[in-house]
Structures are given as C-alpha cells and as structure tokens.
Amino acid sequence: MIRRAALRALTAAAVTAFLALPLAQGTPATAATATAATTINADDDNPFRWMELDGLRADFQFMCPAGHCTGFWSLVLTDDVARQKFEGRKFFVYAPATGEFSFFLDTDIAVRTVDHPGQVRLVDTDFMRSHPRVEVRYGDPEHPDQARVVASATTLM
C-alpha cells in the first residue's frame, strides 16, 4: 500500500516536472498547429483504448515547449456530462475498490481536485491500469462515498 502510494506520488511529480519544464526554461508552451496533428497518427498510441469509458472520452493534445511538439493522451468529460450544472463542490478521481485517489492535470500542474468540468483531465495511466474501475466523482473528497459519480473508466480484462 505504501509502495503504491509512493509510486503514484512519483508519477504525479514526474508529470508535473515534464509539463513545467518549458515554463522553468522561460519558454511558454503553445498549442500545435493543425498541420502537426495530421503528421502523427494519435490513435495508434491511445493508452485508454482498452477501457470502457462512461462519461469520459480520450483526448489527444499537443504541447510545444521550446518549439518541440509533444503529444499526450488524457481522459476528459464528454460534452453532455460537462454541460451539466455543477456548483459548490469539487471533482476528484477515486478508485472505489481501494479507496485511493489520483490526480487531474490542470494546465501543467497535477492537482487532487478541480472546480469546473472543463478542468477534468486524467493522465495517470498507471493508476488507472492498477485499478479495475476509476471514477470521477463530484462532492466532498473527505466523504467520497457520499459524492456523485459523474464518469468512470473500467479496465477491460
């Protein structure tokens, strides 16, 4: 259990460091042009293609730190879920089988909770592969069993 928590903390730190590197170097990350998207077949590397997604969809994005474009996959809320009314609570990632939490990628920072549906972006594939079901919940993270399940990702065996 401690080993798994340490691995998740290390994963969060690595993702944050990777995405923050261009900012630390003083070079802002910018979105890639549409022509860059046509040269890379993003579907071949989708780490979520073997998952059953409910309320989530795989999203491929580019970041171009210092002019070197890098693509990455994440899970975001589907449009119909994101349009629902959410007020006064937090979104968080939860594995109901173990009671463990993961993180979202908010711009270039790994965070445990976010306020708005547009900020829901899951990138922790190790967490999702190590849990048969991961849920995006909305409510109080201190009481996850009382929070509303708004989306889920289930690993297909």
Side-chain angles (χ1 to χ4, degrees):
M1 178 102 167
I2 293 173
R3 183 175 164 194
R4 195 180 305 174
L7 180 60
R8 281 192 192 75
L10 182 60
T11 300
V15 168
T16 301
F18 170 74
L19 295 173
L21 182 62
L23 298 174
Q25 293 174 340
T27 307
T30 60
T33 64
T35 56
T38 61
T39 61
I40 296 175
N41 186 357
D43 290 335
D44 292 345
D45 297 329
N46 180 353
F48 308 110
R49 71 175 160 245
W50 305 114
M51 300 184 92
E52 181 179 296
L53 304 176
D54 181 20
L56 293 167
R57 65 177 173 81
D59 183 54
F60 188 80
Q61 287 196 339
F62 283 99
M63 287 184 64
C64 296
H68 300 287
C69 293
T70 300
F72 69 96
W73 282 97
S74 61
L75 293 178
V76 297
L77 293 176
T78 59
D79 293 340
D80 59 324
V81 173
R83 280 192 295 266
Q84 295 175 17
K85 188 171 184 169
F86 298 100
E87 288 184 4
R89 302 286 181 201
K90 302 279 186 182
F91 290 94
F92 58 95
V93 183
Y94 185 69
T98 61
E100 295 177 273
F101 294 86
S102 185
F103 63 90
F104 296 115
L105 185 65
D106 187 12
T107 311
D108 61 347
I109 301 169
V111 295
R112 183 175 177 207
T113 64
V114 294
D115 296 323
H116 305 288
Q119 295 174 298
V120 171
R121 182 168 299 279
L122 293 103
V123 295
D124 191 356
T125 56
D126 289 335
F127 181 82
M128 287 182 264
R129 280 194 299 263
S130 65
H131 294 83
R133 180 177 172 89
V134 173
E135 298 173 342
V136 175
R137 293 190 177 193
Y138 185 73
D140 181 357
E142 298 302 318
H143 304 284
D145 293 335
Q146 297 171 8
R148 177 177 138 203
V149 176
V150 297
S152 65
T154 304
T155 302
L156 302 174
M157 300 288 172

